[in-house]
Amino acid sequence: VNLEKKTGTVVHAFLVIYKIQKLLNEEAEKINRVVNGRGLHGVKSFRSNSLASALRNNAIMDSFDIFDKEGRGRIHPEVLKKVLLTFTKNEKIHDEVFFNVFSSIDMNSDGFIVKEEFVIWYRSVMSMEEANYASTKERAKFLFDMFDEDDSGHISFSEFKSSLDKFDIGFTVDDI
């Protein structure tokens, strides 16, 4: 696997973690206000040719594979929750909050996120956010905080390498 592919995979995976964390925060706020609802509405409106095109997008599919630890073409909720806890500074994710967010992505309600659902969700949330400068700044801060493991305001080489190693993609010191 070449360096460019590994880098692209990690970037997309970090964006997925960021977006799901953002949805978790929004869902927690809803629950705190005693308002029930789904995180994504109208997501199924993508045309099938758009979905087929996205399924051929290696960067999106490679980021899916990071969360599909079993290699069975689906993301198990407990695996996703574990990844979120590994990469964010959350000590716990409230089960109701996580379930509501997971359910908003799991469109067929089978208890897993399959590739098609992942792609539809990914394209939906990324298209809603691409042109938003404030969102770009927010993503940058979130990603910086993920790498800054000791909250020092600086990212050391070891923190950077440690964060990349959590994805188990095989970055070497020379790659970095």
Side-chain angles (χ1 to χ4, degrees):
V1 178
N2 68 32
L3 181 58
E4 185 175 313
K5 182 176 179 176
K6 286 191 237 183
T7 304
T9 299
V10 168
V11 167
H12 283 280
F14 278 135
L15 290 173
V16 167
I17 292 168
Y18 162 76
K19 290 305 299 180
I20 293 175
Q21 180 62 47
K22 189 172 180 177
L23 285 172
L24 289 170
N25 293 342
E26 291 168 2
E27 188 63 29
E29 288 174 18
K30 285 181 193 176
I31 289 173
N32 287 339
R33 290 187 312 241
V34 192
V35 173
N36 286 321
R38 292 284 225 216
L40 297 174
H41 300 289
V43 172
K44 294 182 183 183
S45 65
F46 280 97
R47 295 177 312 191
S48 60
N49 63 345
S50 176
L51 177 60
S53 169
L55 285 169
R56 289 189 301 271
N57 182 320
N58 289 339
I60 295 173
M61 291 295 82
D62 289 345
S63 63
F64 175 88
D65 292 342
I66 285 176
F67 302 99
D68 177 19
K69 295 295 186 189
E70 299 169 343
R72 298 179 68 192
R74 62 188 191 179
I75 300 171
H76 191 278
E78 290 305 313
V79 171
L80 181 59
K81 193 173 193 179
K82 182 179 177 185
V83 169
L84 289 167
L85 289 170
T86 299
F87 283 98
T88 63
K89 295 185 178 173
N90 295 335
E91 293 179 15
K92 182 177 183 345
I93 298 173
H94 189 275
D95 288 337
E96 182 180 3
V97 170
F98 180 78
F99 175 76
N100 289 344
V101 169
F102 190 88
S103 296
S104 72
I105 303 169
D106 177 20
M107 293 174 205
N108 67 2
S109 302
D110 67 352
F112 300 97
I113 298 170
V114 295
K115 287 183 179 187
E116 291 81 5
E117 293 166 331
F118 181 82
V119 167
I120 290 169
W121 170 80
Y122 182 90
R123 295 200 45 169
S124 172
V125 297
M126 294 315 286
S127 68
M128 286 188 274
E129 197 174 274
E130 266 179 6
N132 185 342
Y133 176 72
S135 175
T136 302
K137 286 177 59 175
E138 184 181 307
R139 274 194 310 249
K141 181 179 178 353
F142 177 83
L143 294 173
F144 182 89
D145 290 345
M146 277 180 36
F147 282 103
D148 184 16
E149 295 174 350
D150 64 3
D151 295 323
S152 66
H154 304 293
I155 300 171
S156 68
F157 180 81
S158 63
E159 287 174 316
F160 188 70
K161 175 90 169 91
S162 170
S163 293
L164 293 177
D165 287 346
K166 291 175 187 174
F167 282 117
D168 196 28
I169 293 178
F171 277 100
T172 66
V173 172
D174 290 338
D175 289 341
I176 298 170

